[in-house]
Amino acid sequence: MTGPDAQDRRDGRRESDGKGGADGMATGGSSGATAAGGPVGAGGAGATETTVVHLVRHGEVHNPDGVLYGRRAGYHLSELGRRMAERVAEHLVDRDVTHVAASPLERAQETAMPVAESHSLDLVTDERLIEAANVFEGKSFGVGDGALRRPSNWRHLTNPFRPSWGEPYAEQVERMLAALADARDAARGHEAVAVSHQLPIWIVRSFVERRRLWHDPRRRQCTLASLTSFTYQGDRLVSVGYTEPARDLVPPHLLAGAKPVKGAKGFGA
């Protein structure tokens, strides 16, 4: 394959080929998180301490119209989503959590708050944990509604490898790596929780596990209220784990690999 499309395909997987992957995590972050007490700085790099950073996807959102809300304000957890948030807090109550951060969006803040409260910690807002930007924000999408077959949308669908409809995968990797590094440094020798969104979590996991960044969204292993856990020895990432403490609360059509249900509002998650 030659030409621009071939280059874009290479760009879409460049972050997971050759250099990069787990070794790329052994770097410091940039202090971009803020709390009431001011900037959260990077701690000193220890040689042997074990630190775990749990990237948590927010719980279910109240979104009866199936709007792709993206970074829009005003979308809060549903009653079920609040139960999911409480379940995550229960799952982590006996863990050695010393730092809790979240995307600035309401659904992430509301998911993180029970964890912060159960550990008597301030909730830090980190802009780098925010949802990926998307040109389809504000539009309604449902399985089988033909939204992606409308000619007016085609100009945004020309390049799935970058992608052409939203924030480049490479930029998501960069900001999420920095957020992970700062959360790790803030919780040296302990555990941190950072609540974010499905796409950024899946993209940074794909990067460190050396998978291509372009993918089928239905195959993301990052269901509602799930934990993708990064374990470090010093600054070095040594493993990535995944758990679903609220799996029994997740609607079946929103689980990874589930068959599409016609009319289901998957973007309301």
Side-chain angles (χ1 to χ4, degrees):
M1 179 180 290
T2 59
D5 289 343
Q7 182 61 49
D8 291 333
R9 182 187 291 268
R10 288 192 292 272
D11 289 344
R13 68 186 182 212
R14 179 173 50 197
E15 300 294 341
S16 57
D17 288 344
K19 294 182 179 179
D23 291 342
M25 295 290 289
T27 59
S30 55
S31 301
T34 57
V40 176
T48 60
E49 79 278 8
T50 299
T51 308
V52 182
V53 180
H54 304 284
L55 282 183
V56 179
R57 184 183 173 195
H58 61 79
E60 185 191 61
V61 175
H62 179 67
N63 183 20
D65 297 325
V67 172
L68 180 60
Y69 38 70
R71 294 180 174 181
R72 292 190 166 213
Y75 285 89
H76 297 266
L77 293 182
S78 65
E79 185 57 38
L80 178 60
R82 294 184 183 280
R83 289 171 57 198
M84 292 178 179
E86 292 293 341
R87 180 71 64 81
V88 170
E90 292 169 5
H91 178 74
L92 293 170
V93 69
D94 293 325
R95 305 298 290 263
D96 185 21
V97 176
T98 62
H99 177 75
V100 181
S103 154
L105 298 173
E106 293 97 333
R107 57 192 183 273
Q109 296 271 314
E110 291 164 2
T111 301
M113 188 57 71
V115 178
E117 291 177 345
S118 68
H119 291 275
S120 300
L121 296 170
D122 291 333
L123 175 58
V124 175
T125 295
D126 190 335
E127 297 283 346
R128 298 165 300 186
L129 296 171
I130 199 167
E131 177 64 287
N134 193 304
V135 297
F136 295 115
E137 286 179 14
K139 296 184 179 181
S140 295
F141 284 81
V143 176
D145 69 0
L148 297 181
R149 293 195 296 271
R150 297 170 189 159
S152 60
N153 291 333
W154 291 352
R155 62 191 176 92
H156 300 300
L157 305 174
T158 57
N159 183 356
F161 309 113
R162 184 167 292 174
S164 54
W165 55 84
E167 181 183 9
Y169 292 138
E171 292 181 10
Q172 294 179 53
V173 168
E174 182 178 10
R175 64 177 171 86
M176 290 297 287
L177 287 179
L180 275 167
D182 278 357
R184 176 202 64 208
D185 290 343
R188 287 276 178 185
H190 306 279
E191 299 184 31
V193 172
V195 181
S196 186
H197 307 266
Q198 186 188 54
L199 181 55
I201 294 173
W202 180 248
I203 288 298
V204 75
R205 178 181 173 185
S206 295
F207 172 78
V208 302
E209 293 183 335
R210 299 181 181 273
R211 283 192 300 273
R212 69 189 186 198
L213 302 185
W214 55 276
H215 60 282
D216 181 346
R218 297 168 297 181
R219 302 300 178 186
R220 296 172 188 160
Q221 189 184 43
C222 187
T223 196
L224 292 165
S226 62
L227 281 68
T228 302
S229 302
F230 297 74
T231 300
Y232 300 86
Q233 291 291 335
D235 287 350
R236 182 175 177 81
L237 177 67
V238 295
S239 68
V240 179
Y242 178 78
T243 54
E244 297 178 344
R247 183 180 176 87
D248 60 306
L249 300 178
V250 178
H253 72 281
L254 295 179
L255 293 170
K259 293 182 178 180
V261 177
K262 189 171 183 178
K265 302 296 186 180
F267 290 102

